[in-house]
Amino acid sequence: MNKKGVTSGLVFFSLVALLSACGSKKETANESKDVQEDVLASEQVMHLTVESELATTDSVLVAENITFAGVNQFIEGLYRLGENNDPIPALAKSEDISDDGLTYTFHLREDALWSNGDPVTAHDFVFSWRRNVDPTSGAAYSYLFEDIKNASEIIAGERPLEELGVKALDDTTLEVTLETPIAYFPSLMSFVSFFPQNEAFVLEAGDQYGTSSETTLSNGPFLLTDWDNGLDENWSYEKNPTYWDAENVDLTKITNQVIKEVATGVNLYEKGDVDNALLSGEYAKQYQEDPSYTVEYFSRTNYLEVNQTDNPYLKNESLRKALALAINREELTSSILNNGSLPITGLVPDHFVQHPETGIEFAEEAGDFYTYNLTEAQRLVEEAKQELGVDTIELELLGDDDETSKRVMEYLQGELQNNLDGVKIKLLNVPFSARLAKAAAGDFDLISSGWSGYVSDPMIMLDVLYSTSSYNNGGYANDKVDQLINDAKEIHANDPLLRWDDMLEAHQIALEDAALIPIYQKGEAMLRNPKIKGIGINSVGARYTYKDAYIVE
C-alpha cells in the first residue's frame, strides 16, 4: 500500500500580541509572509444573495447548484475542494491506495462530531452511499457510484445493497473497492453526493429528513438555521461550535436572501444591505470598472449537439464544420450574454484542469478548433450541399425556454441563416425537463445544450463523446476516440502523463470530426464586497466554501 499523508491546504495563524481594538490580524498560508496582515472586522457576519431557494438538505437528493453550495457549508465529506479545484482534507486524515489503484482506505478524524453530539464514523459513509445506490431512493447522482464495486448491479436492482464495495473496518477506517481505477477519486469524494449521513437521525426523521433546519444534521463549519422548507427565501448559516476545526472559522453568521431580479440585487448591494449581487446585460457593462466587480468561471461548456444518427444533413461532416465556423462567439459572449462568459472552441473549459507536470491548462494545450471564419464556412456549406444533392437545408434548433437560452438561440439562428446560404433554422423553446426528454429520445436536429464538470478532470467532459454514453445524444461514434477513452480509464489509469495524452488525442479527433459545436464557457459577473476575503470559489462541484472566509476592516 502507498501511504499518502493529507495536510491542510489553507492554515490561518492567529496573532494575539499587539492587536488593535477593532479585531485580530490574519495571515493565510498561501499569502507571502511580507504581505501586510489583515485586520479582522469586529463583526464577522456576511449577507449573501442567491438565485433560488434551497431544494433539500438530503445530500442523496441534492441535484442543483444553489443547494450544492448550501449543503457544502454545513455538511462535510472526506475532502473539500481547495485552490485550483484540488482536494484538501476534511474528515479524512490520510488515505492508503493499493498499488493497482482499486482499493482506498480512508482514516477519519477522531474529533469530528454531528451537531447532535454523535461522532462522525465510517458507518455514516456506508449508510449514505448505500442510500445513493438504492434504486428506490431517487438519488440524483447515483451514476457517480458506478465505478465502485457492484454499484451498477445494485442500482439495476440485481444485487443487495450490502454488496456495495464500501466497508467500515472500524469507526474511523473506511475501505472502498473500485471496479476500475479512478484517477480523480479523491476529488470525487468532495462532491456532496458522497457526504456521510447519520443513520439513526435519518431513519427517525423519515420522509421529513432534509426538509427543515430541525430535520437536518450538520457536521461542517456551520449550522443551518431559520429554514423550514424548499420555499423559504431567507435562511442562515451559523458557526458550528463543535466543528473539529472551529478555531479557524471566523465568520459567525451568513445570511442568505433569494433575489431573482438583477436590479433588486444591485440596489441592495449599493445600499450596503448585502455583500454580493449578480450582474448581467447593461449592469455588467456599467460596473466593469468598479472595484467590487468580479467574474467567476464555471466548468461548463455550452454547445450545440448535432443529431448524426437520424438527420441525413448532419451526418455530413462538411455541414457540421460549416455550422461551427459560422458563429461569432466573441460577439455572442460580449454583446448578447455580457455576463462574464467566454467564447470557447473546444469541449474542455478553461480554469478547469492543468497538466500534472507543466501546469498548462488542458484547454490551452488542446488549442482552438472553430474560430469564426466566414469564408471557410461558406465554402464548406457549398461543399455540403453538393455532397448532399440539395440547395436548401432546414434544421430545427431545440433549447430551453428561459430568457438567456432564448436570446442565445435567436442569435445563433441569425448567424447560421445569414452566414450560410441555403441554411434555414427553426427555433423550438421548451421547458428544461421537456428538452432533456427530447434529447434522450433523439427527437431533435440541433440542441442548445451543455455539460458541466463535477470534479476537475478532462474525462468528466470527454465522457459525452463515448459512443455508448447515455449523454451522447447526437450519436457521435469514432472507434479511435472510444479506444483512447478506454485506455485513459483502464490501461493508463495509474499513469497521469500517458492518461493526459490519451485524453488530449481523443479530444482532438472528436473536435476535428465536429462531434459537437462548442459555443461558450459559462461565466458569472457579480459585485462582491472587497472586504470579504478567503472565500473558496471552485469551477466544479459545490461552487463556494465559506469555512476560511473572513471580513476585514
Side-chain angles (χ1 to χ4, degrees):
M1 307 283 277
N2 298 322
K3 189 68 173 282
K4 287 171 55 180
V6 181
T7 57
S8 177
L10 186 59
V11 181
F12 290 124
F13 299 91
S14 299
L15 304 180
V16 293
L18 302 177
L19 299 183
S20 66
C22 59
S24 64
K25 294 181 179 179
K26 190 162 191 115
E27 180 185 276
T28 61
N30 63 346
E31 292 175 342
S32 173
K33 296 295 183 183
D34 60 3
V35 174
Q36 172 102 29
E37 294 159 353
D38 293 321
V39 178
L40 294 180
S42 57
E43 184 179 67
Q44 293 293 310
V45 179
M46 184 165 63
H47 302 285
L48 298 180
T49 66
V50 294
E51 297 170 74
S52 63
E53 300 80 3
L54 288 180
T56 177
T57 62
D58 183 345
S59 58
V60 171
L61 302 180
V62 176
E64 45 76 38
N65 288 331
I66 297 298
T67 307
F68 277 134
V71 172
N72 195 49
Q73 312 316 317
F74 50 84
I75 305 179
E76 188 169 73
L78 295 169
Y79 295 90
R80 61 173 62 249
L81 292 181
E83 192 173 359
N84 296 321
N85 298 323
D86 292 331
I88 59 175
L91 295 180
K93 289 193 306 182
S94 64
E95 67 185 28
D96 301 327
I97 309 175
S98 63
D99 291 335
D100 61 7
L102 294 178
T103 303
Y104 282 73
T105 305
F106 297 100
H107 303 280
L108 309 187
R109 300 181 182 278
E110 294 86 355
D111 55 351
L113 298 174
W114 291 104
S115 49
N116 66 353
D118 289 349
V120 180
T121 72
H123 303 281
D124 298 326
F125 286 92
V126 174
F127 173 72
S128 171
W129 292 14
R130 286 178 178 175
R131 282 194 69 213
N132 271 280
V133 298
D134 186 340
T136 68
S137 70
Y141 282 84
S142 61
Y143 70 90
L144 295 182
F145 291 77
E146 289 180 349
D147 287 317
I148 297 176
K149 186 177 180 180
N150 298 330
S152 294
E153 291 89 345
I154 295 170
I155 292 169
E158 298 169 357
R159 283 182 180 265
L161 297 176
E162 293 73 21
E163 293 188 13
L164 183 66
V166 56
K167 296 179 182 179
L169 302 184
D170 56 43
D171 283 352
T172 59
T173 311
L174 181 71
E175 181 184 84
V176 183
T177 305
L178 306 179
E179 296 278 6
T180 185
I182 306 175
Y184 51 83
F185 193 67
S187 293
L188 193 60
M189 295 300 95
S190 70
F191 195 68
V192 168
S193 300
F194 291 89
F195 285 4
Q197 294 186 341
N198 183 298
E199 180 174 4
F201 186 90
V202 173
L203 294 180
E204 182 178 355
D207 60 6
Q208 294 302 301
Y209 174 66
T211 62
S212 69
S213 302
E214 288 69 30
T215 59
T216 298
L217 203 59
S218 302
N219 71 347
F222 301 97
L223 304 172
L224 175 66
T225 60
D226 307 318
W227 183 71
D228 280 335
N229 56 61
L231 300 178
D232 271 4
E233 294 191 347
N234 295 274
W235 65 89
S236 299
Y237 311 130
E238 297 186 12
K239 183 175 178 177
N240 180 0
T242 65
Y243 178 56
W244 64 267
D245 198 29
E247 65 179 346
N248 288 315
V249 177
D250 288 293
L251 293 178
T252 59
K253 187 174 184 177
I254 303 169
T255 67
N256 296 268
Q257 182 178 356
V258 176
I259 301 294
K260 299 185 179 182
E261 299 294 330
V262 172
T264 302
V266 171
N267 184 50
L268 289 171
Y269 184 87
E270 289 286 13
K271 292 195 299 182
D273 293 338
V274 298
D275 292 308
N276 71 309
L278 193 65
L279 299 175
S280 64
E282 290 302 315
Y283 284 102
K285 291 181 181 179
Q286 177 183 340
Y287 283 94
Q288 282 182 0
E289 303 304 319
D290 192 285
S292 302
Y293 178 87
T294 186
V295 175
E296 298 170 3
Y297 297 104
F298 290 73
S299 62
R300 177 179 177 84
T301 299
N302 284 64
Y303 51 75
L304 296 184
E305 294 183 77
V306 291
N307 191 333
Q308 301 174 47
T309 302
D310 301 320
N311 188 291
Y313 298 141
L314 293 172
K315 291 179 181 180
N316 184 278
E317 184 176 317
S318 296
L319 175 62
R320 298 196 303 271
K321 290 182 175 180
L323 297 173
L325 291 169
I327 299 168
N328 189 334
R329 294 161 178 80
E330 293 281 353
E331 183 177 67
L332 171 63
T333 53
S334 63
S335 300
I336 306 301
L337 289 169
N338 195 32
N339 61 0
S341 294
L342 298 172
I344 191 169
T345 65
L347 174 59
V348 177
D350 202 0
H351 308 280
F352 178 50
V353 62
Q354 300 81 33
H355 188 280
E357 282 191 349
T358 66
I360 297 174
E361 281 278 343
F362 188 98
E364 180 182 350
E365 192 167 346
D368 292 330
F369 288 88
Y370 295 108
T371 54
Y372 185 53
N373 188 331
L374 190 53
T375 300
E376 180 65 6
Q378 291 169 338
R379 184 192 72 78
L380 283 167
V381 77
E382 292 304 321
E383 182 178 289
K385 288 189 295 183
Q386 183 176 359
E387 292 169 350
L388 292 165
V390 298
D391 294 322
T392 302
I393 297 172
E394 296 185 0
L395 300 169
E396 182 177 79
L397 173 57
L398 171 69
D400 297 336
D401 61 355
D402 62 277
E403 181 181 350
T404 299
S405 294
K406 288 180 178 179
R407 290 169 60 203
V408 169
M409 289 171 63
E410 288 168 0
Y411 178 81
L412 295 176
Q413 179 189 43
E415 284 286 276
L416 298 178
Q417 290 189 158
N418 295 335
N419 292 337
L420 300 175
D421 184 47
V423 173
K424 305 297 180 186
I425 303 294
K426 176 184 177 183
L427 301 183
L428 177 61
N429 295 96
V430 298
F432 175 73
S433 58
R435 192 257 293 172
L436 292 181
K438 290 177 76 67
D443 183 17
F444 67 94
D445 297 333
L446 300 166
I447 304 179
S448 179
S449 183
W451 192 250
S452 299
Y454 47 85
V455 296
S456 185
D457 191 272
M459 187 57 70
I460 305 305
M461 307 300 294
L462 298 182
D463 266 340
V464 303
L465 301 173
Y466 197 80
S467 61
T468 60
S469 169
S470 58
Y471 309 107
N472 182 358
N473 298 308
Y476 171 72
N478 184 302
D479 291 342
K480 181 63 174 177
V481 171
D482 282 358
Q483 176 199 322
L484 288 163
I485 290 176
N486 283 332
D487 288 350
K489 287 184 173 182
E490 299 173 7
I491 298 175
H492 299 146
N494 294 322
D495 189 325
L497 299 183
L498 290 177
R499 183 174 180 272
W500 183 273
D501 290 342
D502 290 337
M503 294 187 291
L504 201 63
E505 186 177 355
H507 180 269
Q508 179 176 346
I509 294 171
L511 269 294
E512 288 177 350
D513 288 345
L516 44 75
I517 301 174
I519 306 295
Y520 67 93
Q521 177 181 350
K522 185 178 180 182
E524 207 167 64
M526 68 170 56
L527 298 174
R528 189 180 296 282
N529 186 345
K531 292 186 177 182
I532 297 175
K533 310 288 186 179
I535 294 178
I537 302 173
N538 298 105
S539 65
V540 300
R543 291 282 296 146
Y544 301 108
T545 297
Y546 301 126
K547 173 183 183 290
D548 299 317
Y550 58 100
I551 304 171
V552 300
E553 287 290 349

